[in-house]
Amino acid sequence: RKRHSQGKDKTQNKLKSKEDGNGVPANAKRSKPEDQGEQDAVLRPVKLSRTELYKPPTVEELNQLKEAESLFHCSLLKMQMEELLKEVALSERRKKQIDSFVKTVTEALQSVPSFPKVELGDLSWLAGSVKVPFIMMPAENAGKFQMAPPASVDLIGSYPLGTCIKPRITVDLAVTIPAEVLQTKDDMNQRYPRKRALYLAGLAQHLSSSAEIGSMRYSCLHGNRLRPLLLLTPSGKESSNFTVRLHACLPPGYFKPSRFHPQRNNIRTKWYTGLDSSDPEPPTPHYNSSVLGDMLPRAHLQFLSAVSSQCPAFAEGVALIKVWLRQRELDQGAGCFNGFLASMTLAYLLSKHRVNNNMTAYQLLRNTLHFLATTDLTETAITLARKPDSTAPSLPEFQDAFQVVFVDPSGHLNLCAEMTECTYKQVQHEASLSMQFWDDATVNGFHALLMTPKPLERTSDHIFQLLELVKLQASCKKLKLLSELMDHSGNYVRTMLPYILSLLQQGLGQRILLLTHSLSPDPEWTVEAEPPKHKAQPPLSFGLILRPDYAASVLERGPPADSPKAAEFRKLWGPRSELRRFQDGAITEAVLWTGESACEKRLVPRQIVNHLLQLHADIPESCVRYVGAMMDDVPSTGEEESLKVVQSYDDLSRKLWRLEGLPLSVTAVQGAHPALRYTQVFPPKPLKLDYSFFGKEKSSRSLLPKEGKPCPVYIEPITVVCHMEGSGKWPHDRVAIRHLKAAFHLSLGELLTKEHSYTCRPCPTHLDVWKEGYAFRVHVAYHREPQVLRESVGPDGLLVVRDNEAAQALELATVHRPLLTSTLHGLQQQHPCFGAVCRLAKRWLGAQLLSDDIREDAADLLVASLFLHPAPFTAPSSPQVGFLRFLRLLSSFDWRNNPLVVNLNSKLTAADYTDIKNDFVAGRDSLPVMFIATPSDKKLSLWTKREPSVQMMQRAVMLAAESLKVLEPQLKDGTQIQDVKVAMRPPLDAYDVLIHLLPKQVPLLKQAVDPPLVVFSRGTEAGKAGTPGGAMPVIDYNPVALYLSELRDSFGDLALFFCDPYGGTVIAVLWKPKAFKPVPFKTSEIKARRVEVKGEQAHSVPNVEAIVEDFSVMGKDLVRSVEARTERWSV
Amino acid sequence: MAPSTKKHGAGNACIIPGGFAVLSLKFSAESDTQHKLYVKEHRVRVEAKTHRPLDKTLFVLNVPPYCSQAVVSQIFSRFGAVVSVELSDRPGTASVPEIKLSNIFKPAEKQGFKVAYIVFRKAKSIQLAKSHPHNFPLVISTEKQPVTTGLQKWAEQYRKSIILPEKLQETVDAFMTDYDLRKEEKEKKQEEEAEEQKEDEEGWVKVTRGNKGTKARPHSEAANQKSLQKEIRKKKRKELLNFYTWQHRNTQKEHIADLRKKFEEDKQRISLLRAQRKFRPY
């Protein structure tokens, strides 16, 4: 007995310790005992008693129900938002912690000792190891500095305003530098910023002796090196809970704000470069706003507090906007749209009466997004200043200096000074996208809006990175951006960014919908370290959202040669621009990019980016890491092959239509094969055969596999359904229909051979047609046959219609699959990379040994849902991003509680959605694990009815999550090992028996993830596929598939068999967890088992040794070895 | 790996509870492992008169997938002449098809472990088989009569799957003529019966109980349902809604109940999501 119980335990343990492709142990959730919590985690239909449903309503209840109905689509969204706000709000306990820590810090700051006045450059007073957080370039300093206790310490920013949310709690503390430290001319030549940095260093030195402070680091505000910050965290276990940021600030009103007019110069060229310049000094708007920004935080806080006190839902509204921004990675880094801006925007809307004070947080969010979506701040500037004083700059003056303009209440400061046009456009794009799907009742608005993270690599179709940012310094010189560089105080990355963006925008033009760039994160460094150099920041990432119609065009047609714009065009494209004459007679400037296949064409944007950056900014190709197509060629490109198959099929279909002399006419010819909708992983290629390789069957002129040779090339039959006209002549009997169909196969074959001399082989179930190197398998269908199969006459003469498996299978093959094929074919016409994503997804499923659980049709539907319901993204326009989203869908969708609705051809209405959901909830327990509903299949989920099982689904979810974890860092980070195939190599150590196959007999060997070095001749010849006629080749002969089906038939009760259908040479076997349990002897359950007798009782257990030997007996000449990992199940 | 009681010495038959004798089966002489066949005389009275005669049929469990009828017959012929071998997926009565189908049109058989009913010529063979010692295994594939498996078998299968069009045509034609004949016969019978129920010259109708199955068309379940529904719809159309005050009140009540139900559903959904921590946006 011991053996068996042990065996069972091991099986379970093994299931738990599955490992992912990277070797990182993942806590598999398979076969975990279902605890109480799990039990509860299923939606059940709500049952309310009659009395409860029909009791008289109270006024309060009525109001509540009405509000939910009118304001939100349903009460669900309202409740969801409330829950979300609860989740992100700070708890009272946390607030107490923060308050007490702030108090400690404030007290510590009050006791900062004074030091005597020294020269600015003299750092002798800074005794300890604390460094100054400032890059002193140029080194020359004038002026005096003195460390002194702060004039005041105040809370500013989101925390006192109540808009601070989890995670990443930051509390801002403004430390006012006393006036005696400053001098009147300090705003010039970075003197004040340097003093501020010195002051911070002084504070850091003083605080370093304090025990309550856990860690101290420097950072800078929104990546602006002129504005360093000191980050403090409490000591002890609370250290990671929140961060206090110390800002050193100017005393309010110390400088006149008019001195920071965006057109004024506050950094002298002579001081900065050491050279005399005769020109008028260039304006330094960015420098000006960075100094000015330091005078205003308290004023801003007062302003916002006043607004917030009027509007009760202000804080919650801002919190929602912040969550929205955060999910889109817009709230952090240089030039971000941060929470402060969100508050200011909302304040603006309130002041303009675009929203009113009584609105709920939900309405505030909605109106803010609407405002952002419809207002282009890069075109029209807005201001919060009611009555700006006369010295304040005018809006056009702001617009001259900055790309995005949003003026603060004082009228002097542009709040969006650092923001690039592209970032704002991204905000706008996101807002309008959000508005679109918010109103769509069929989308889970809440989830798409606030819960789904949108990292760059999953949002953009193509991404590329600039690797060696130091090269940008040279680019600055080339573009003569010295004064801009001075304005940005030497930060060449920030200086170059707008120029690179506008260059790319110009060059990519129509091809892209949106150009985005990563916001470089705020650097952080310890107080003992020198500040990092500008080049030390992580690579800049750019994202392109492509327009599928234009993105892949190889021709860039410019203006006519004689038009004034031609010069501009030539300047942009440089030597690539040529004069070309077009078919319409026009002679225009044009650029022609190289690209033959669809895969190459998809990479035209890459050629453009490389060319423009090299030409205009001297950035060599080696510095641009373009990761748009890292995964595109994993399963071969295949688009052209698919097209050829479809063309050949169209031809066949026409010929079938035109056949004359059939007793009944053909009513429809439909494709029912993935290759006919561009989603076949390896589309069939036209083949020319070497007859000498095969054996021959003389009488039927057919080729046969020959003994002793490698397995012949696998020719996959392409299924075509040929519907015949309905007529009274069809018999009303299932067997007779089968015979008649066979007769049709015969006569179709005969006619095709006679008229077009194709080689045909009729069978009772189908007709194989060998045409131009492709094998088509024509099934004749009669539309009433499923009905006939369902009907039976009962003993009392009553005609009973009962659904049965045979009828369903037939309907699936002759009705549903052709329909799906044509619908998805249509989808491919709309989205050119649909097929490529499907192929990539199915290749992954195959490689992870899941393709027998998530079948082709189901996988295609999953991918189709990405294109039809992309919210919150846009429909993918590159295979890579589509694949990433496929993995994400598989891993994060709540399969247990939600049906995945794929609205093909938009045939489903919102009411249908509700029906589908209700039906689903009502019948959850009896429905498939993975439920996919389509317009033609709302209740059954035809394609996932049999598989996957719960366990396999869990495994698929886990593998998808792990693959994402491996792939995404690779795309983000160029320093990691770049091998996307890692995600395609399944871990095999989780299996109990491995059956290694002889590569020679695996016909699809070439398709393996890592194709083998040895190539076997498989009876094909190079060259174009032969003329019609010739012998019938070996069709649909795949020993691996035959072996697998034999294994599953024989041992399916005991074990699961996995194999990569695309050239896998290993069959992995997993004993079912219950397989080794002895069961009482029964004549019906004795397959492959042996009986053990104990006393009077006979029990049977699997005869494992014999089964393992059967593996090699049944796969004779195909199996190389059977590796039984007996340590896993101890025989 | 003797599965059973020690009291049976070497060379003895082994009988397990249930009356089955254990036979060992090896694939070939070199095989290390054995499958166990469980055999017993077939004793089902009902089937006595069919092709499974009462005392001459051996019931065999756990026949490996690579043993075809011929192979089983070959193995068991050592106990006496075998008349017929019937393989099936599970034990039970054999379903005899109404119409004899040609091999071409028979659906593909499932491979796997099967049960066999072996009919011997003599009843003695049964006892012989049952008393065969369990530790002298029977061998499936011998040098004289090798059993093909694996690649060879599949290639053979492929070769057999090729059907000559002429032969297929012949089969189809034969079936269809037979089918037409049967149909004609049936129609004739029906006509006769219809004829019987008509008035004769003097206006008499012969009333018989008649066979229910012989009506011209069997009335269908679906048709019954349809007429029922038509009736209901008709009734509904005549009904007036919101005519009486109580009706109006009822609709309002229903509406509120609806909203309430939805609210409850949403609440449940939320509590579920909360339990799963689905509201944390990070």
Short mmCIF file of all heavy atoms in Angstrom, two decimals, chain A residues 665-704:
data_model
loop_
_atom_site.label_atom_id
_atom_site.label_comp_id
_atom_site.label_asym_id
_atom_site.label_seq_id
_atom_site.Cartn_x
_atom_site.Cartn_y
_atom_site.Cartn_z
N SER A 665 -26.48 21.07 -57.87
CA SER A 665 -25.48 22.12 -58.06
C SER A 665 -24.83 22.47 -56.72
O SER A 665 -25.34 22.19 -55.64
CB SER A 665 -26.14 23.35 -58.66
OG SER A 665 -27.11 23.82 -57.77
N VAL A 666 -23.66 23.09 -56.83
CA VAL A 666 -22.91 23.52 -55.65
C VAL A 666 -23.51 24.84 -55.19
O VAL A 666 -23.65 25.78 -55.98
CB VAL A 666 -21.44 23.71 -56.03
CG1 VAL A 666 -20.66 24.27 -54.85
CG2 VAL A 666 -20.84 22.40 -56.50
N THR A 667 -23.87 24.95 -53.92
CA THR A 667 -24.43 26.23 -53.46
C THR A 667 -23.39 27.11 -52.78
O THR A 667 -23.51 28.31 -52.78
CB THR A 667 -25.59 26.02 -52.48
OG1 THR A 667 -25.13 25.17 -51.44
CG2 THR A 667 -26.78 25.41 -53.17
N ALA A 668 -22.42 26.52 -52.19
CA ALA A 668 -21.40 27.34 -51.53
C ALA A 668 -20.13 26.54 -51.39
O ALA A 668 -20.16 25.32 -51.19
CB ALA A 668 -21.88 27.78 -50.16
N VAL A 669 -19.01 27.24 -51.53
CA VAL A 669 -17.72 26.62 -51.23
C VAL A 669 -17.08 27.48 -50.15
O VAL A 669 -16.94 28.69 -50.31
CB VAL A 669 -16.82 26.58 -52.48
CG1 VAL A 669 -15.48 25.95 -52.13
CG2 VAL A 669 -17.49 25.81 -53.59
N GLN A 670 -16.76 26.87 -49.04
CA GLN A 670 -16.22 27.64 -47.92
C GLN A 670 -14.94 27.01 -47.43
O GLN A 670 -14.82 25.79 -47.36
CB GLN A 670 -17.23 27.65 -46.76
CG GLN A 670 -18.49 28.41 -47.09
CD GLN A 670 -19.48 28.29 -45.96
OE1 GLN A 670 -19.74 27.20 -45.47
NE2 GLN A 670 -20.03 29.42 -45.55
N GLY A 671 -14.00 27.86 -47.08
CA GLY A 671 -12.76 27.36 -46.49
C GLY A 671 -12.98 27.09 -45.03
O GLY A 671 -13.72 27.81 -44.37
N ALA A 672 -12.36 26.07 -44.51
CA ALA A 672 -12.53 25.78 -43.09
C ALA A 672 -11.18 25.39 -42.50
O ALA A 672 -11.04 24.38 -41.83
CB ALA A 672 -13.54 24.68 -42.88
N HIS A 673 -10.19 26.18 -42.81
CA HIS A 673 -8.86 25.82 -42.36
C HIS A 673 -8.11 27.09 -41.98
O HIS A 673 -8.29 28.13 -42.63
CB HIS A 673 -8.13 25.10 -43.51
CG HIS A 673 -6.87 24.43 -43.07
ND1 HIS A 673 -5.66 25.05 -43.15
CD2 HIS A 673 -6.65 23.22 -42.51
CE1 HIS A 673 -4.72 24.22 -42.67
NE2 HIS A 673 -5.31 23.12 -42.27
N PRO A 674 -7.28 27.03 -40.93
CA PRO A 674 -6.57 28.24 -40.51
C PRO A 674 -5.75 28.88 -41.65
O PRO A 674 -5.63 30.10 -41.71
CB PRO A 674 -5.64 27.76 -39.41
CG PRO A 674 -6.21 26.50 -38.92
CD PRO A 674 -7.05 25.93 -40.00
N ALA A 675 -5.23 28.07 -42.55
CA ALA A 675 -4.41 28.64 -43.62
C ALA A 675 -5.25 29.57 -44.50
O ALA A 675 -4.73 30.46 -45.14
CB ALA A 675 -3.81 27.53 -44.46
N LEU A 676 -6.55 29.35 -44.51
CA LEU A 676 -7.41 30.17 -45.36
C LEU A 676 -7.88 31.44 -44.65
O LEU A 676 -8.68 32.18 -45.17
CB LEU A 676 -8.62 29.35 -45.83
CG LEU A 676 -8.23 28.10 -46.64
CD1 LEU A 676 -9.45 27.33 -47.04
CD2 LEU A 676 -7.42 28.49 -47.86
N ARG A 677 -7.41 31.64 -43.41
CA ARG A 677 -7.69 32.91 -42.76
C ARG A 677 -6.39 33.53 -42.27
O ARG A 677 -6.36 34.31 -41.35
CB ARG A 677 -8.68 32.72 -41.61
CG ARG A 677 -8.26 31.67 -40.60
CD ARG A 677 -9.35 31.45 -39.55
NE ARG A 677 -8.87 30.61 -38.50
CZ ARG A 677 -9.50 29.52 -38.06
NH1 ARG A 677 -10.63 29.18 -38.57
NH2 ARG A 677 -8.99 28.82 -37.08
N TYR A 678 -5.27 33.12 -42.84
CA TYR A 678 -3.95 33.69 -42.59
C TYR A 678 -3.44 33.41 -41.18
O TYR A 678 -2.58 34.11 -40.68
CB TYR A 678 -3.93 35.21 -42.80
CG TYR A 678 -4.34 35.64 -44.18
CD1 TYR A 678 -5.66 35.90 -44.48
CD2 TYR A 678 -3.40 35.78 -45.18
CE1 TYR A 678 -6.04 36.30 -45.74
CE2 TYR A 678 -3.76 36.18 -46.45
CZ TYR A 678 -5.09 36.44 -46.73
OH TYR A 678 -5.46 36.83 -47.98
N THR A 679 -4.00 32.41 -40.50
CA THR A 679 -3.54 32.21 -39.14
C THR A 679 -2.82 30.88 -38.94
O THR A 679 -2.54 30.50 -37.82
CB THR A 679 -4.72 32.25 -38.14
OG1 THR A 679 -5.56 31.15 -38.39
CG2 THR A 679 -5.50 33.52 -38.27
N GLN A 680 -2.53 30.18 -40.01
CA GLN A 680 -1.77 28.94 -39.88
C GLN A 680 -0.35 29.28 -39.46
O GLN A 680 0.28 30.14 -40.06
CB GLN A 680 -1.80 28.20 -41.22
CG GLN A 680 -0.96 26.96 -41.25
CD GLN A 680 -1.76 25.76 -40.78
OE1 GLN A 680 -2.62 25.89 -39.91
NE2 GLN A 680 -1.50 24.62 -41.33
N VAL A 681 0.15 28.60 -38.42
CA VAL A 681 1.49 28.93 -37.92
C VAL A 681 2.53 28.77 -39.01
O VAL A 681 3.34 29.65 -39.26
CB VAL A 681 1.83 28.04 -36.72
CG1 VAL A 681 3.21 28.39 -36.20
CG2 VAL A 681 0.81 28.21 -35.62
N PHE A 682 2.51 27.61 -39.68
CA PHE A 682 3.40 27.41 -40.81
C PHE A 682 2.53 27.14 -42.02
O PHE A 682 2.12 26.00 -42.25
CB PHE A 682 4.35 26.25 -40.55
CG PHE A 682 5.31 26.51 -39.44
CD1 PHE A 682 5.03 26.12 -38.16
CD2 PHE A 682 6.50 27.19 -39.69
CE1 PHE A 682 5.91 26.39 -37.12
CE2 PHE A 682 7.39 27.45 -38.67
CZ PHE A 682 7.10 27.05 -37.38
N PRO A 683 2.20 28.17 -42.77
CA PRO A 683 1.30 27.93 -43.90
C PRO A 683 1.94 26.97 -44.88
O PRO A 683 3.16 26.97 -45.05
CB PRO A 683 1.14 29.32 -44.52
CG PRO A 683 2.01 30.24 -43.78
CD PRO A 683 2.65 29.53 -42.66
N PRO A 684 1.12 26.12 -45.48
CA PRO A 684 1.69 25.14 -46.43
C PRO A 684 2.37 25.83 -47.60
O PRO A 684 1.94 26.91 -48.04
CB PRO A 684 0.47 24.34 -46.88
CG PRO A 684 -0.72 25.00 -46.33
CD PRO A 684 -0.31 26.00 -45.34
N LYS A 685 3.43 25.23 -48.06
CA LYS A 685 4.12 25.77 -49.23
C LYS A 685 3.88 24.82 -50.39
O LYS A 685 3.77 23.61 -50.18
CB LYS A 685 5.62 25.84 -48.96
CG LYS A 685 5.96 26.88 -47.92
CD LYS A 685 7.44 26.88 -47.67
CE LYS A 685 7.75 27.79 -46.50
NZ LYS A 685 9.06 27.60 -45.96
N PRO A 686 3.82 25.33 -51.60
CA PRO A 686 3.65 24.42 -52.75
C PRO A 686 4.86 23.50 -52.86
O PRO A 686 6.00 23.95 -52.75
CB PRO A 686 3.55 25.37 -53.94
CG PRO A 686 4.06 26.67 -53.47
CD PRO A 686 3.85 26.73 -51.99
N LEU A 687 4.61 22.22 -53.05
CA LEU A 687 5.70 21.26 -53.03
C LEU A 687 5.86 20.57 -54.37
O LEU A 687 4.90 20.34 -55.09
CB LEU A 687 5.42 20.19 -51.97
CG LEU A 687 5.42 20.65 -50.52
CD1 LEU A 687 4.97 19.52 -49.63
CD2 LEU A 687 6.81 21.13 -50.13
N LYS A 688 7.10 20.26 -54.67
CA LYS A 688 7.38 19.43 -55.83
C LYS A 688 8.03 18.16 -55.29
O LYS A 688 8.94 18.24 -54.46
CB LYS A 688 8.33 20.17 -56.76
CG LYS A 688 8.47 19.51 -58.09
CD LYS A 688 9.41 20.31 -58.95
CE LYS A 688 9.66 19.60 -60.26
NZ LYS A 688 10.73 20.24 -60.99
N LEU A 689 7.54 17.02 -55.73
CA LEU A 689 7.96 15.79 -55.07
C LEU A 689 8.97 15.02 -55.90
O LEU A 689 8.96 15.05 -57.13
CB LEU A 689 6.74 14.92 -54.80
CG LEU A 689 5.72 15.57 -53.87
CD1 LEU A 689 4.47 14.73 -53.80
CD2 LEU A 689 6.32 15.77 -52.50
N ASP A 690 9.82 14.34 -55.17
CA ASP A 690 10.80 13.45 -55.79
C ASP A 690 10.23 12.04 -55.73
O ASP A 690 10.23 11.41 -54.68
CB ASP A 690 12.11 13.58 -55.00
CG ASP A 690 13.11 12.54 -55.41
OD1 ASP A 690 12.90 11.92 -56.47
OD2 ASP A 690 14.09 12.36 -54.67
N TYR A 691 9.71 11.55 -56.85
CA TYR A 691 8.98 10.28 -56.83
C TYR A 691 9.82 9.12 -56.37
O TYR A 691 9.34 8.16 -55.80
CB TYR A 691 8.40 9.98 -58.22
CG TYR A 691 7.20 10.83 -58.58
CD1 TYR A 691 6.73 11.79 -57.68
CD2 TYR A 691 6.54 10.68 -59.78
CE1 TYR A 691 5.64 12.57 -58.01
CE2 TYR A 691 5.44 11.46 -60.11
CZ TYR A 691 5.00 12.41 -59.21
OH TYR A 691 3.93 13.18 -59.51
N SER A 692 11.13 9.20 -56.62
CA SER A 692 11.95 8.04 -56.31
C SER A 692 12.05 7.80 -54.81
O SER A 692 12.46 6.76 -54.35
CB SER A 692 13.36 8.25 -56.87
OG SER A 692 13.95 9.34 -56.20
N PHE A 693 11.66 8.82 -54.04
CA PHE A 693 11.77 8.71 -52.59
C PHE A 693 10.66 7.84 -52.02
O PHE A 693 10.77 7.32 -50.92
CB PHE A 693 11.70 10.13 -52.01
CG PHE A 693 11.82 10.21 -50.52
CD1 PHE A 693 13.07 10.27 -49.93
CD2 PHE A 693 10.70 10.21 -49.71
CE1 PHE A 693 13.18 10.35 -48.56
CE2 PHE A 693 10.81 10.29 -48.34
CZ PHE A 693 12.06 10.36 -47.76
N PHE A 694 9.59 7.70 -52.76
CA PHE A 694 8.39 7.08 -52.20
C PHE A 694 8.18 5.67 -52.72
O PHE A 694 8.70 5.29 -53.77
CB PHE A 694 7.16 7.90 -52.58
CG PHE A 694 7.17 9.29 -52.00
CD1 PHE A 694 7.71 10.34 -52.71
CD2 PHE A 694 6.65 9.53 -50.75
CE1 PHE A 694 7.71 11.61 -52.19
CE2 PHE A 694 6.66 10.80 -50.21
CZ PHE A 694 7.20 11.85 -50.93
N GLY A 695 7.39 4.92 -52.00
CA GLY A 695 6.88 3.68 -52.51
C GLY A 695 5.67 3.99 -53.38
O GLY A 695 5.18 5.12 -53.37
N LYS A 696 5.23 3.02 -54.17
CA LYS A 696 4.11 3.34 -55.06
C LYS A 696 3.02 2.30 -54.98
O LYS A 696 3.26 1.13 -54.80
CB LYS A 696 4.61 3.45 -56.50
CG LYS A 696 5.25 4.80 -56.75
CD LYS A 696 6.16 4.79 -57.95
CE LYS A 696 7.16 5.92 -57.86
NZ LYS A 696 8.45 5.55 -57.33
N GLU A 697 1.83 2.80 -55.09
CA GLU A 697 0.67 1.91 -55.19
C GLU A 697 0.20 2.04 -56.62
O GLU A 697 -0.28 3.10 -57.03
CB GLU A 697 -0.39 2.36 -54.19
CG GLU A 697 -1.79 1.96 -54.49
CD GLU A 697 -2.17 0.64 -53.90
OE1 GLU A 697 -1.79 0.39 -52.75
OE2 GLU A 697 -2.83 -0.16 -54.61
N LYS A 698 0.40 1.00 -57.39
CA LYS A 698 0.23 1.12 -58.83
C LYS A 698 -1.21 1.41 -59.23
O LYS A 698 -1.50 2.34 -59.97
CB LYS A 698 0.70 -0.18 -59.53
CG LYS A 698 2.20 -0.33 -59.55
CD LYS A 698 2.84 0.40 -60.71
CE LYS A 698 4.29 0.76 -60.48
NZ LYS A 698 5.12 -0.28 -59.86
N SER A 699 -2.13 0.62 -58.67
CA SER A 699 -3.50 0.67 -59.19
C SER A 699 -4.15 2.04 -58.99
O SER A 699 -4.94 2.48 -59.80
CB SER A 699 -4.35 -0.41 -58.53
OG SER A 699 -4.19 -0.32 -57.13
N SER A 700 -3.82 2.72 -57.88
CA SER A 700 -4.48 4.00 -57.66
C SER A 700 -3.53 5.16 -57.93
O SER A 700 -3.86 6.31 -57.67
CB SER A 700 -4.98 4.07 -56.22
OG SER A 700 -3.88 3.97 -55.35
N ARG A 701 -2.38 4.89 -58.44
CA ARG A 701 -1.36 5.91 -58.74
C ARG A 701 -1.11 6.80 -57.53
O ARG A 701 -1.21 8.02 -57.57
CB ARG A 701 -1.80 6.77 -59.93
CG ARG A 701 -2.09 5.96 -61.19
CD ARG A 701 -1.55 6.62 -62.42
NE ARG A 701 -1.92 8.02 -62.55
CZ ARG A 701 -1.07 8.99 -62.79
NH1 ARG A 701 0.21 8.72 -62.92
NH2 ARG A 701 -1.49 10.22 -62.91
N SER A 702 -0.84 6.15 -56.41
CA SER A 702 -0.57 6.92 -55.19
C SER A 702 0.83 6.63 -54.70
O SER A 702 1.36 5.55 -54.91
CB SER A 702 -1.55 6.52 -54.09
OG SER A 702 -2.84 6.84 -54.47
N LEU A 703 1.41 7.61 -54.05
CA LEU A 703 2.71 7.42 -53.42
C LEU A 703 2.50 6.90 -52.01
O LEU A 703 1.48 7.17 -51.38
CB LEU A 703 3.47 8.73 -53.37
CG LEU A 703 3.74 9.38 -54.73
CD1 LEU A 703 4.53 10.65 -54.55
CD2 LEU A 703 4.47 8.42 -55.66
N LEU A 704 3.47 6.15 -51.54
CA LEU A 704 3.38 5.59 -50.19
C LEU A 704 4.67 5.90 -49.45
O LEU A 704 5.72 6.02 -50.07
CB LEU A 704 3.21 4.07 -50.27
CG LEU A 704 1.92 3.54 -50.86
CD1 LEU A 704 2.01 2.04 -50.98
CD2 LEU A 704 0.74 3.95 -50.01
#
